[in-house]
Amino acid sequence: MGNCQACCNRPKNTNIRISLPAICFVWQISMIILFGVFVRYDEESDSHWVEYMHKNNITSHVENDFYYRYPSFQDVHVMIFVGFGFLMTFLKRYSFSGVGFNFLIAAFGIQWALLMQGWFHSLDPTDGTIKIGIENIINADFCVAGCLIAFGACLGKVSPVQLMVMTLFGVTLFAVEEYIILNIIHAKDAGGSMTIHTFGGYFGLVISWVLYRPNLHQSKRLQGSHYHSDVFAMIGTLFLWMFWPSFNSAIANHGDGQHRAVINTYLALASSVVTAIAISSLSHRRGKLDMVHVQNATLAGGVAMGTAAEFMIMPYGSLIVGFCCGILSTFGYLVLTPFLEKHMKIQDTCGIHNLHAMPGLLGGVIGAITAATASKSVYGHEGLVNTFNFVDEFANRSVGTQGAHQAAGLCVALIFALGGGALVGGILKLPLWGDPEDCNCFDDEVYWELPEDEEMSCFYDKCD
Amino acid sequence: MGNCQACCNRPKNTNIRISLPAICFVWQISMIILFGVFVRYDEESDSHWVEYMHKNNITSHVENDFYYRYPSFQDVHVMIFVGFGFLMTFLKRYSFSGVGFNFLIAAFGIQWALLMQGWFHSLDPTDGTIKIGIENIINADFCVAGCLIAFGACLGKVSPVQLMVMTLFGVTLFAVEEYIILNIIHAKDAGGSMTIHTFGGYFGLVISWVLYRPNLHQSKRLQGSHYHSDVFAMIGTLFLWMFWPSFNSAIANHGDGQHRAVINTYLALASSVVTAIAISSLSHRRGKLDMVHVQNATLAGGVAMGTAAEFMIMPYGSLIVGFCCGILSTFGYLVLTPFLEKHMKIQDTCGIHNLHAMPGLLGGVIGAITAATASKSVYGHEGLVNTFNFVDEFANRSVGTQGAHQAAGLCVALIFALGGGALVGGILKLPLWGDPEDCNCFDDEVYWELPEDEEMSCFYDKCD
Amino acid sequence: MGNCQACCNRPKNTNIRISLPAICFVWQISMIILFGVFVRYDEESDSHWVEYMHKNNITSHVENDFYYRYPSFQDVHVMIFVGFGFLMTFLKRYSFSGVGFNFLIAAFGIQWALLMQGWFHSLDPTDGTIKIGIENIINADFCVAGCLIAFGACLGKVSPVQLMVMTLFGVTLFAVEEYIILNIIHAKDAGGSMTIHTFGGYFGLVISWVLYRPNLHQSKRLQGSHYHSDVFAMIGTLFLWMFWPSFNSAIANHGDGQHRAVINTYLALASSVVTAIAISSLSHRRGKLDMVHVQNATLAGGVAMGTAAEFMIMPYGSLIVGFCCGILSTFGYLVLTPFLEKHMKIQDTCGIHNLHAMPGLLGGVIGAITAATASKSVYGHEGLVNTFNFVDEFANRSVGTQGAHQAAGLCVALIFALGGGALVGGILKLPLWGDPEDCNCFDDEVYWELPEDEEMSCFYDKCD
């Protein structure tokens, strides 16, 4: 209770009664206005679809892109809300915030993402409106994933107001970065190793670095897990793990593209479970497993397969990717996270460096190498063109050039993450946002009305 | 322990050893007999399908309605069993009943619904049998949803026998009401704002009113949540939230209808999360959030989008619907639920008035307005006919008339809910059904064998 | 704490720091090598797919088998990892192992299954490689299900190393058994009543019999559930229950086959919930329900419908199957499980005899009878040929012969289960594998680092 006393002596205002509702209302009303001006249905979700079918000799409703992508969309949706949300319930006294704030910022973020990404990708030049359909809402979920990853690094140390601000900027940066990587550089990144994981991971780490709290040890009592909160987190882990094939294939090419992305991701994930658990056992003097590794490092294979999922990386290639990532990610939790905290002032609550940043980087590199070594003998002529979309102004691009552009895309993701993180971290450091005191981090009680018998931690209410 | 003593003094028989098995067996055997006489596969699930394909020049199996609807069906299925089930685990000592009774009555209800709805919608006049396929099982799930909503108002205060009786009558009433609304009045209601939510909501509230317990405060000790039971309830919330687009699109028209219903519902839901959380924060003196609002009010946008999901309500229209419902529903929890309990003798355990009844009513009104203001310029000629199914005897119906019929449909839902609720409430009030004593409500121990160390509440066993 | 003392006196080595990582690495590296030599994409997941389309006059990507099966695949995937995993979290202090070991062995098993099943079913004779696509990964999940069922009998009494060994052999045996049943005998078994449930069930029971622990009562303190662990297990139950229609239809014939399998399974499951709960209530002197029955016996209808799901068993037939299985399975938990433990030395932790073995057997018999009584008048000529795949060398097989072959298939499953179980049980009995002491069974602490405040059980660490 010494910490409680310490807290009482330094009252920091965590009252968000004005700021949170204000930001929610201003932004939601802005969304309505902007959607009113800019957003319309695309030709596949508009009631003119039947006429569109006639005009384009489409004979079956099943050719509506909706039917190719909806099952994957719902899986991605589950990953965003249940996967990320429950993965962040692992702390003993921060489960409400983990799943609740994730819910809030994702629900806000997808709206803003529809606008920002739509602006770059779905602008109808004839009338200046953004036309949305199934692919847009998948991409909005993807875009938000970047911010949720960043949230993982800050979990327990920021207020919901800060998270809303972070999401606004994060989504904006993401949309620009993604446009540069996919459209200007013309790199392929169906599962987002670069655009989502590398960007989101380093973005969050830099923010966490800017917001470094030297006295975070004051809330050490709340930094562990509880037996049941660890089981809750496994819900998140498993839904992420199971549906990652859908994540990496959701916006892949129809037909073999989606099919192959699923198989590759499935294999990489299976492989990383086995090696993550092996390293976890090896690192304990009696061979005991650590839940942190099982909850996180098992997923690294899916991250690293994000760019190359569509490519002809071959089943054994996918297994190798998963093999390496399971090891690397577990070592990250064992060695790098403590190192980053101690020597680099990066407090990474969920270890996103090991689950997203590093495997994302690796995924980008794997994508570049796989692209550079692609060949017509393996892909077939049409297959090569389809897979890398070598059409129009890119019709003459060689695979070597493509590999170089993939690498360039990775650099863009990194630059946006580092620069953007510094900028957003700076904004979040302003003493406006109602973030908790060092001794009250990782505590739901700061932002939630808790069930009566649960209010066992110390808070200002009780200081008087 | 004063309450325990009180309970011991008024022994009420909660032994359901005869009544529950009896009702289960009688009804399940009746189902088998009725299915034996009446229910057969429809042409798409019968093994004559290949011949049917040849006869109708269908060239691909993918045109089997199964492939258009199965992904959505499974999502709806998850909503019914995990969504509703886990949403009702929030009470500290009633999680077994919440998820378990939900399981029982849904599993029974879908069988009865297949018969009742099939009788109205899928009767084959040539041989007097009901022909079932994928659409029937989706509709059966929908039908049961109405009863599960009503369960929410009665949660903790009724026995499983009462719930079975309520389900039998509820499903029957639903099927008649739905037939009148959809077929006779020819109103559109793809996501069931009227047929499911308005009906189920007011049906449950009236039952709860009839079963009013003036001494319910005697089990006050059990009416709150536990930290982990609130996290369990978030599983229900999130699966309902994520899969609501499937709910509203599951039986929508192939092609743009399903596509648009998904987008509209996705947007309305996103918007209601933001405003529900804003109001929740605003209502607490330090801006703290309330889990009850996050678990429930965030879903109101999906309910209110049930009727209009298929319509060209436009993306911003969906955002506005969610915006209003998030606010309205949260205010409901803050103001109306206590008011209803205190002044109108309606004890609404889960607050279904705020989550289903009121947003459902609003959804019906929105549907009527949107239909009345539809135009060929927005929908296109074919689009208007398709969306409102202006064919056969309805070929000459104007959109204004359609709007009026939508409003008429809403009235029918209300009348059935109020009348049916009074009738069923009256039946459930008979002293036959083994419902718990006022001091033993919200207690799993009455109907479940609990793990040993958990039997900490008072029950008759211990009275002697 | 007497047991703790007892444990301390008999130190058995449960240190798996060498054995678990070693087995993981050796096997994962073997997988990579074998996949490198043998496994390639099939024509639908290879980038030559577009050329394949042209050659075979396929006009739409939607004809890629991927789109017929992917939604069901993901449901099956959820059943394997969340369904089985969470169903096994019911013990008060073994939730980490239940969900974690399930994760490990399933992730390893699916890789080995792709090889073994591919060897029998997907070998390309032109180049000696295994060509994999969506159907292979569904079958790999199915194959692993057999081992996970067997895990259920051994839950709490074996080490993860033993589970890996069991999975290696189990998958191998499964692949051979399945090949004999499906290809040589040409029995139909879309949902695996015989190949998966009968095999997996008896395989696990025999292993459990070989590994019989006479002093298991020493860990009696850990054999019960906890209030919240029972709610966790309901997550597993519900996801298994909801997605069982996908399980039974995932590899059924396109079109009516998949459609009918879903409807039949849906009905059987609904029916078994009602009767399982009826018997559960009937068996308690005050009519109270038992969570064990609700968690398990409600699923029996899906198991028993595995073989006949595709057949024209008629909706009422499905209800009858579920009706009987719900009763039978609940009686199993009430009567047979204690009997098996007391008189036959089979300690069946999860009661897989009642949930898988017995209903699986019944399912095989139902399949044989339904096949033998099939007729052209019910199925239609083409329907009969399609459903039973009476083509090529089987073109002249009569339905009576098919029924006999179904029965023969069931015998093969049994023989493999009993023989294989004895063999694998013998291997697992070797004192090499780091299994726990009798007094430390059902205890996560043996193999997991637990959150600090949770280490309340006794373990060797504390013996000194």
Side-chain angles (χ1 to χ4, degrees):
Chain A
M1 280 297 167
N3 285 332
C4 282
Q5 203 51 48
C7 267
C8 290
N9 296 340
R10 284 176 283 167
K12 194 169 171 178
N13 189 5
T14 60
N15 190 329
I16 51 171
R17 189 183 185 180
I18 305 303
S19 56
L20 183 61
I23 212 165
C24 286
F25 276 113
V26 170
W27 290 1
Q28 191 58 52
I29 291 168
S30 309
M31 287 302 121
I32 291 173
I33 296 169
L34 290 167
F35 271 64
V37 177
F38 288 113
V39 182
R40 298 292 177 269
Y41 304 114
D42 72 6
E43 68 274 352
E44 295 187 309
S45 59
D46 191 282
S47 60
H48 289 81
W49 158 251
V50 184
E51 288 162 26
Y52 179 88
M53 286 175 78
H54 297 332
K55 206 161 47 189
N56 294 278
N57 288 319
I58 297 167
T59 55
S60 166
H61 282 300
V62 89
E63 293 300 330
N64 194 308
D65 196 32
F66 179 76
Y67 295 103
Y68 284 95
R69 307 208 181 275
Y70 189 61
S72 309
F73 161 69
Q74 275 295 14
D75 294 347
V76 172
H77 219 38
V78 172
M79 293 172 74
I80 298 298
F81 290 90
V82 163
F84 281 103
F86 272 85
L87 192 59
M88 290 195 271
T89 59
F90 75 99
L91 289 167
K92 72 175 76 154
R93 183 71 23 195
Y94 208 65
S95 303
F96 283 17
S97 302
V99 68
F101 295 165
N102 183 80
F103 195 17
L104 171 63
I105 64 176
F108 164 69
I110 51 180
Q111 301 175 52
W112 183 231
L114 280 172
L115 277 169
M116 291 306 301
Q117 293 183 307
W119 193 259
F120 286 114
H121 294 282
S122 309
L123 200 65
D124 183 339
T126 61
D127 60 2
T129 61
I130 295 163
K131 298 283 165 65
I132 63 171
I134 184 76
E135 215 166 317
N136 296 74
I137 61 177
I138 295 172
N139 278 319
D141 273 22
F142 277 1
C143 177
V144 162
C147 296
L148 300 182
I149 292 166
F151 175 28
C154 308
L155 186 75
K157 301 173 293 181
V158 291
S159 75
V161 182
Q162 283 177 306
L163 290 171
M164 291 290 279
V165 173
M166 189 187 83
T167 304
L168 185 79
F169 284 95
V171 166
T172 313
L173 288 161
F174 182 97
V176 179
E177 166 238 30
E178 184 195 42
Y179 177 72
I180 296 173
I181 295 175
L182 301 188
N183 291 50
I184 297 183
I185 296 180
H186 196 74
K188 299 287 288 181
D189 196 17
S193 289
M194 305 186 283
T195 55
I196 300 169
H197 298 287
T198 303
F199 169 76
Y202 287 104
F203 179 63
L205 290 168
V206 173
I207 292 175
S208 190
W209 174 74
V210 176
L211 300 180
Y212 180 69
R213 290 168 176 266
N215 297 314
L216 194 59
H217 58 84
Q218 288 179 5
S219 35
K220 197 162 173 41
R221 73 197 182 284
L222 296 169
Q223 287 188 47
S225 64
H226 176 269
Y227 190 72
H228 285 151
S229 70
D230 265 330
V231 182
F232 279 120
M234 278 304 291
I235 298 175
T237 299
L238 288 176
F239 277 101
L240 286 170
W241 193 91
M242 294 180 304
F243 289 166
W244 217 293
S246 293
F247 194 90
N248 285 351
S249 70
I251 56 163
N253 288 333
H254 290 177
D256 62 293
Q258 290 194 294
H259 200 158
R260 192 162 57 249
V262 162
I263 291 172
N264 288 334
T265 311
Y266 177 93
L267 291 172
L269 285 162
S271 178
S272 62
V273 173
V274 177
T275 53
I277 287 180
I279 299 294
S280 183
S281 174
L282 200 59
S283 68
H284 184 278
R285 79 193 153 80
R286 295 191 56 85
K288 290 190 189 186
L289 302 174
D290 189 331
M291 256 295 164
V292 171
H293 307 152
V294 176
Q295 284 160 4
N296 294 281
T298 52
L299 299 164
V303 174
M305 195 42 89
T307 302
E310 266 190 295
F311 301 165
M312 295 285 288
I313 193 171
M314 293 296 144
Y316 68 90
S318 307
L319 288 182
I320 294 171
V321 170
F323 186 92
C324 299
C325 285
I327 296 172
L328 199 69
S329 182
T330 315
F331 268 121
Y333 281 96
L334 289 165
V335 179
L336 287 180
T337 301
F339 178 85
L340 290 179
E341 175 149 5
K342 199 163 174 192
H343 299 290
M344 301 196 52
K345 304 197 172 181
I346 299 176
Q347 291 154 331
D348 179 7
T349 314
C350 293
I352 63 163
H353 180 262
N354 316 306
L355 172 49
H356 297 283
M358 200 166 48
L361 216 51
L362 195 67
V365 172
I366 293 164
I369 296 171
T370 325
T373 56
S375 69
K376 278 189 192 169
S377 67
V378 171
Y379 283 74
H381 177 66
E382 276 190 273
L384 195 66
V385 169
N386 282 344
T387 304
F388 294 101
N389 203 17
F390 286 155
V391 291
D392 302 332
E393 70 262 43
F394 306 104
N396 295 317
R397 189 181 271 190
S398 72
V399 293
T401 317
Q402 180 65 27
H405 281 76
Q406 294 285 139
L410 187 57
C411 297
V412 171
L414 261 177
I415 291 165
F416 267 81
L418 301 178
L423 170 76
V424 175
I427 295 169
L428 297 185
K429 220 178 158 63
L430 300 175
L432 300 168
W433 314 113
D435 53 312
E437 189 57 70
D438 287 343
C439 54
N440 254 326
C441 286
F442 313 110
D443 194 347
D444 271 339
E445 214 201 341
V446 182
Y447 302 115
W448 296 85
E449 284 194 84
L450 294 188
E452 272 180 32
D453 49 309
E454 302 294 333
E455 303 199 21
M456 56 184 203
S457 56
C458 59
F459 193 58
Y460 312 124
D461 294 16
K462 294 164 193 156
C463 289
D464 335 293
Chain B
M1 280 298 163
N3 285 331
C4 284
Q5 202 50 50
C7 267
C8 290
N9 296 340
R10 284 175 285 168
K12 194 169 172 178
N13 189 5
T14 61
N15 190 329
I16 50 171
R17 190 183 184 180
I18 304 304
S19 55
L20 183 61
I23 212 164
C24 286
F25 276 114
V26 170
W27 290 2
Q28 190 58 52
I29 291 168
S30 309
M31 288 301 120
I32 291 174
I33 295 169
L34 289 167
F35 270 65
V37 177
F38 289 114
V39 182
R40 298 292 177 269
Y41 304 115
D42 73 5
E43 68 274 353
E44 296 187 309
S45 59
D46 190 283
S47 60
H48 289 82
W49 159 251
V50 184
E51 288 162 26
Y52 178 88
M53 286 175 78
H54 297 333
K55 205 160 47 187
N56 294 277
N57 289 317
I58 297 167
T59 54
S60 166
H61 282 299
V62 89
E63 293 301 329
N64 194 310
D65 196 32
F66 179 76
Y67 296 103
Y68 284 95
R69 307 208 181 277
Y70 190 61
S72 309
F73 162 69
Q74 275 296 13
D75 293 347
V76 172
H77 220 38
V78 172
M79 293 173 74
I80 298 298
F81 290 90
V82 162
F84 279 103
F86 272 85
L87 191 59
M88 291 195 271
T89 60
F90 74 100
L91 288 167
K92 73 176 74 153
R93 183 70 25 198
Y94 208 66
S95 303
F96 284 17
S97 302
V99 68
F101 295 165
N102 183 81
F103 194 17
L104 171 63
I105 63 176
F108 165 68
I110 51 181
Q111 300 176 53
W112 182 231
L114 281 172
L115 276 169
M116 290 306 300
Q117 294 183 308
W119 192 259
F120 287 114
H121 294 282
S122 309
L123 199 65
D124 183 338
T126 62
D127 60 1
T129 61
I130 296 164
K131 297 284 164 65
I132 63 170
I134 183 78
E135 216 166 315
N136 296 74
I137 60 177
I138 295 173
N139 277 319
D141 273 23
F142 277 1
C143 178
V144 162
C147 297
L148 301 181
I149 291 166
F151 175 28
C154 308
L155 187 75
K157 300 173 294 179
V158 290
S159 74
V161 182
Q162 284 177 306
L163 290 171
M164 292 290 279
V165 173
M166 189 187 82
T167 304
L168 185 79
F169 284 94
V171 166
T172 313
L173 288 161
F174 182 97
V176 178
E177 166 238 30
E178 184 195 42
Y179 177 71
I180 296 173
I181 295 175
L182 301 188
N183 292 49
I184 299 183
I185 296 180
H186 195 73
K188 299 287 288 181
D189 196 16
S193 289
M194 305 186 284
T195 55
I196 300 169
H197 298 288
T198 304
F199 169 76
Y202 287 104
F203 179 63
L205 289 169
V206 173
I207 292 175
S208 192
W209 174 74
V210 176
L211 300 180
Y212 180 68
R213 290 168 175 265
N215 298 314
L216 193 60
H217 58 85
Q218 288 180 4
S219 35
K220 198 162 174 41
R221 72 195 182 286
L222 295 169
Q223 286 189 47
S225 63
H226 176 270
Y227 190 72
H228 284 152
S229 70
D230 266 330
V231 183
F232 279 120
M234 278 305 291
I235 298 175
T237 299
L238 288 176
F239 276 101
L240 286 171
W241 193 91
M242 295 180 303
F243 289 166
W244 217 294
S246 293
F247 194 91
N248 285 352
S249 70
I251 55 162
N253 288 332
H254 290 178
D256 62 293
Q258 290 195 296
H259 200 157
R260 192 163 57 249
V262 162
I263 291 172
N264 288 334
T265 311
Y266 177 93
L267 291 172
L269 285 162
S271 177
S272 62
V273 173
V274 177
T275 53
I277 287 181
I279 300 293
S280 182
S281 175
L282 200 58
S283 68
H284 185 276
R285 80 193 153 80
R286 294 190 57 84
K288 290 190 187 185
L289 302 175
D290 189 329
M291 256 295 165
V292 171
H293 308 151
V294 176
Q295 284 159 4
N296 294 281
T298 52
L299 299 165
V303 173
M305 196 42 90
T307 302
E310 267 189 294
F311 302 165
M312 294 285 288
I313 194 170
M314 293 296 144
Y316 69 89
S318 307
L319 288 182
I320 293 172
V321 170
F323 185 91
C324 299
C325 284
I327 296 172
L328 199 69
S329 182
T330 314
F331 269 121
Y333 281 96
L334 290 165
V335 178
L336 288 179
T337 301
F339 178 85
L340 289 179
E341 174 148 8
K342 201 163 173 193
H343 298 290
M344 299 196 53
K345 302 196 172 180
I346 298 176
Q347 291 154 333
D348 179 6
T349 315
C350 293
I352 62 164
H353 180 262
N354 317 306
L355 172 48
H356 297 281
M358 200 165 49
L361 216 50
L362 196 67
V365 172
I366 293 164
I369 296 172
T370 326
T373 57
S375 69
K376 279 189 191 169
S377 66
V378 171
Y379 283 76
H381 176 67
E382 276 190 274
L384 194 68
V385 170
N386 282 345
T387 305
F388 294 101
N389 202 18
F390 286 156
V391 291
D392 302 332
E393 70 262 43
F394 306 104
N396 295 315
R397 189 181 270 190
S398 71
V399 292
T401 317
Q402 180 66 27
H405 280 75
Q406 294 285 139
L410 187 57
C411 295
V412 171
L414 261 178
I415 291 165
F416 267 80
L418 301 179
L423 171 76
V424 175
I427 294 168
L428 297 185
K429 219 178 159 64
L430 301 175
L432 301 167
W433 313 114
D435 52 313
E437 189 56 69
D438 287 344
C439 54
N440 255 325
C441 286
F442 313 111
D443 193 347
D444 271 339
E445 214 201 341
V446 182
Y447 302 115
W448 296 87
E449 285 194 81
L450 294 187
E452 272 180 32
D453 49 310
E454 301 294 332
E455 302 198 22
M456 55 185 200
S457 55
C458 58
F459 193 57
Y460 312 122
D461 295 16
K462 293 164 194 157
C463 288
D464 336 294
Chain C
M1 279 299 168
N3 285 331
C4 283
Q5 203 48 51
C7 267
C8 290
N9 296 339
R10 284 176 283 168
K12 194 167 172 178
N13 189 5
T14 60
N15 190 329
I16 50 171
R17 190 184 185 178
I18 304 304
S19 55
L20 183 62
I23 212 165
C24 286
F25 275 113
V26 170
W27 291 1
Q28 190 58 51
I29 291 168
S30 309
M31 287 302 120
I32 291 173
I33 296 169
L34 290 167
F35 269 65
V37 177
F38 289 114
V39 182
R40 298 293 177 267
Y41 305 115
D42 73 5
E43 69 274 353
E44 297 187 308
S45 59
D46 191 282
S47 61
H48 289 82
W49 159 250
V50 184
E51 288 161 26
Y52 179 86
M53 285 175 78
H54 297 333
K55 207 161 44 190
N56 294 276
N57 288 317
I58 298 167
T59 55
S60 166
H61 282 300
V62 90
E63 293 300 330
N64 195 309
D65 197 32
F66 179 75
Y67 296 103
Y68 284 95
R69 308 209 180 275
Y70 189 62
S72 309
F73 161 69
Q74 275 295 13
D75 294 346
V76 172
H77 219 39
V78 172
M79 292 173 75
I80 299 299
F81 290 89
V82 163
F84 281 103
F86 272 86
L87 191 59
M88 291 195 271
T89 59
F90 75 99
L91 289 167
K92 72 175 76 154
R93 184 71 23 199
Y94 208 66
S95 303
F96 283 17
S97 301
V99 68
F101 295 165
N102 183 80
F103 194 18
L104 170 63
I105 63 176
F108 165 68
I110 52 181
Q111 300 175 52
W112 182 231
L114 280 172
L115 276 170
M116 291 306 301
Q117 293 183 308
W119 192 260
F120 286 114
H121 294 281
S122 309
L123 200 65
D124 183 339
T126 61
D127 61 1
T129 60
I130 295 163
K131 297 283 165 65
I132 63 171
I134 183 78
E135 215 166 317
N136 297 74
I137 60 177
I138 295 173
N139 277 318
D141 273 23
F142 277 1
C143 178
V144 162
C147 296
L148 300 182
I149 292 166
F151 175 28
C154 308
L155 187 76
K157 301 172 294 181
V158 291
S159 75
V161 182
Q162 283 176 305
L163 289 171
M164 292 289 279
V165 174
M166 189 186 82
T167 304
L168 185 79
F169 283 95
V171 165
T172 313
L173 287 161
F174 182 97
V176 179
E177 166 237 31
E178 184 195 42
Y179 177 71
I180 296 174
I181 295 174
L182 301 187
N183 292 49
I184 298 184
I185 295 181
H186 195 73
K188 299 287 287 181
D189 196 17
S193 288
M194 304 186 284
T195 54
I196 300 169
H197 298 287
T198 303
F199 169 76
Y202 287 105
F203 180 63
L205 290 168
V206 173
I207 292 176
S208 190
W209 175 73
V210 176
L211 300 180
Y212 180 70
R213 289 167 176 266
N215 297 314
L216 193 59
H217 59 84
Q218 288 180 5
S219 34
K220 198 163 172 42
R221 72 196 183 286
L222 296 170
Q223 287 189 47
S225 63
H226 177 269
Y227 190 72
H228 284 152
S229 70
D230 265 330
V231 182
F232 278 121
M234 278 305 291
I235 298 174
T237 298
L238 288 176
F239 276 102
L240 286 171
W241 193 89
M242 295 180 304
F243 289 166
W244 217 293
S246 294
F247 193 90
N248 285 350
S249 69
I251 55 162
N253 288 333
H254 290 176
D256 62 293
Q258 290 194 294
H259 199 159
R260 193 163 55 250
V262 162
I263 291 173
N264 288 334
T265 311
Y266 177 93
L267 291 172
L269 286 162
S271 178
S272 61
V273 173
V274 177
T275 54
I277 287 181
I279 300 294
S280 183
S281 174
L282 200 59
S283 68
H284 184 276
R285 79 193 153 82
R286 294 190 57 84
K288 290 190 188 185
L289 303 175
D290 189 330
M291 257 295 167
V292 171
H293 307 153
V294 177
Q295 284 160 3
N296 294 280
T298 51
L299 299 164
V303 174
M305 196 41 90
T307 301
E310 265 190 295
F311 302 165
M312 294 285 286
I313 194 171
M314 294 296 143
Y316 69 88
S318 307
L319 288 183
I320 294 171
V321 170
F323 186 91
C324 299
C325 285
I327 296 172
L328 199 70
S329 182
T330 315
F331 268 120
Y333 280 97
L334 289 165
V335 179
L336 288 179
T337 301
F339 178 85
L340 290 179
E341 174 149 8
K342 200 164 174 191
H343 298 290
M344 299 194 54
K345 303 197 173 181
I346 299 176
Q347 292 155 331
D348 178 7
T349 315
C350 293
I352 63 164
H353 179 263
N354 317 305
L355 172 49
H356 297 282
M358 199 166 47
L361 216 50
L362 196 67
V365 172
I366 293 164
I369 295 171
T370 326
T373 56
S375 69
K376 278 188 191 168
S377 67
V378 171
Y379 283 76
H381 177 68
E382 275 191 273
L384 194 68
V385 170
N386 282 345
T387 305
F388 294 101
N389 203 17
F390 286 155
V391 291
D392 301 334
E393 71 261 44
F394 306 104
N396 296 317
R397 189 181 272 192
S398 71
V399 292
T401 318
Q402 180 65 27
H405 280 76
Q406 295 284 140
L410 186 57
C411 296
V412 171
L414 261 177
I415 291 165
F416 268 80
L418 300 178
L423 170 76
V424 174
I427 294 169
L428 297 185
K429 221 178 157 64
L430 300 175
L432 300 168
W433 313 112
D435 52 314
E437 189 56 71
D438 287 344
C439 54
N440 255 326
C441 287
F442 313 111
D443 194 347
D444 271 339
E445 214 202 340
V446 182
Y447 302 115
W448 295 85
E449 285 194 83
L450 295 188
E452 272 181 32
D453 49 311
E454 301 296 331
E455 303 200 20
M456 55 184 203
S457 56
C458 58
F459 193 57
Y460 312 122
D461 294 16
K462 294 164 193 155
C463 288
D464 337 292

